Amino acid sequence: MEHEVFVPVTVERLREALGDPVRVARAVPGLQQDAGADPVAGRLKVRVGSHSITYRGAVRVTGRDDGSYAVEGDATETRGTGSVTLALTLRLRDTEGGTTLTFDGTATADGRVTELPQDAVGSAVVRLLNRFAEALGEAEEEPEEKPEQSEEKPETPAAVEAPEPVEPPAPPVEDFTEPAGPPAEAAHARRTMIGRSAEEVDHAPPRGRYAPVPAPQTVASGAALRWAAPAAAVVLASAIVVTRVLRKRR
């Protein structure tokens, strides 16, 4: 077979892409790469008419001395025994406004693809080559990550801090408020109420500074009463003695 594709990309850019297996793998449409396999190896689903066939295989692109490239590939069906072998030659021709890619070579297959119409198979191959060439022209090399360099800023002299103003001491303020703590008498009364029932506390007489002041007693009246009782006893005894003496004389 022979097929040509035009892409608006320079020859130099296409050669760079063909020399990088990673960029070639990204250009294969629908390729699902296998983990740990070669860059251009994995599963590829090909749609032929209303049918689709999935192959697992690998493709190798090798440069030649005359400037052309050898494209070799082999794959087998994932759900069958069919296989495909590909041997193509790829040439790049500088064209006004871009590059023309020419594919020519042979492809052999067996299995399910042989049961499909040849026109549908040819259309599927042409569509696959067109998409590969267009994707190859769009494939760009991944930029290398450059280590971040920290920009050193020149040190600037620290600004001289102005001294904070010193506030004058506040004048002393006389405290006219009552002391926060209760007087000693109230504290004593509160301590004596602890452990007593509410009824006893309500009927208990106040103590301390809150106790009632007793009425003053006169010393003179007390002293008179203290001497009046013995005197009355003496008078009464004398009267009894006198009465008895008079009775005896009669």
Side-chain angles (χ1 to χ4, degrees):
M1 69 174 187
E2 184 176 350
H3 182 65
E4 291 186 354
V5 182
F6 172 80
V7 291
V9 180
T10 60
V11 175
E12 289 77 9
R13 182 173 175 180
L14 288 177
R15 292 189 184 279
E16 292 177 0
L18 290 170
D20 187 357
V22 176
R23 297 169 68 178
V24 172
R26 289 202 302 264
V28 178
L31 176 64
Q32 299 179 0
Q33 292 180 266
D34 293 336
D38 294 337
V40 195
R43 300 174 58 183
L44 178 65
K45 180 182 291 186
V46 180
R47 188 171 184 83
V48 181
S50 59
H51 303 272
S52 60
I53 306 173
T54 303
Y55 293 93
R56 181 187 299 276
V59 176
R60 295 168 295 279
V61 179
T62 307
R64 295 175 177 174
D65 297 338
D66 58 354
S68 62
Y69 295 87
V71 181
E72 299 175 350
D74 56 86
T76 57
E77 296 179 7
T78 58
R79 295 183 179 181
T81 58
S83 62
V84 175
T85 303
L86 183 67
L88 300 177
T89 299
L90 173 61
R91 295 183 176 86
L92 306 179
R93 186 174 71 253
D94 191 3
T95 309
E96 183 179 357
T99 304
T100 300
L101 289 79
T102 303
F103 298 90
D104 64 291
T106 59
T108 59
D110 56 11
R112 292 180 55 192
V113 70
T114 59
E115 302 174 0
L116 301 177
Q118 294 297 321
D119 296 341
V121 175
S123 299
V125 173
V126 170
R127 183 170 61 251
L128 183 63
L129 294 177
N130 290 341
R131 294 178 59 187
F132 171 74
E134 294 173 359
L136 191 64
E138 296 175 358
E140 296 182 0
E141 185 178 2
E142 295 182 356
E144 298 180 359
E145 296 182 0
K146 296 182 179 180
E148 297 182 359
Q149 298 180 356
S150 58
E151 297 180 359
E152 298 182 357
K153 298 181 179 180
E155 298 182 357
T156 56
V160 179
E161 297 182 357
E164 298 181 357
V166 180
E167 297 182 359
V173 180
E174 297 183 2
D175 188 6
F176 296 97
T177 59
E178 296 182 357
E185 294 82 358
H188 175 72
R190 186 175 63 256
R191 287 195 299 270
T192 57
M193 293 181 185
I194 298 175
R196 303 170 63 184
S197 64
E199 184 177 358
E200 291 177 351
V201 173
D202 292 342
H203 297 284
R207 299 182 180 181
R209 62 181 300 182
Y210 301 101
V213 180
Q217 298 180 359
T218 58
V219 179
S221 59
L225 292 176
R226 186 170 62 252
W227 290 105
V234 172
V235 172
L236 180 59
S238 300
I240 294 173
V241 172
V242 171
T243 303
R244 289 181 178 180
V245 171
L246 291 176
R247 285 180 180 179
K248 288 180 179 183
R249 287 180 178 181
R250 288 176 184 179

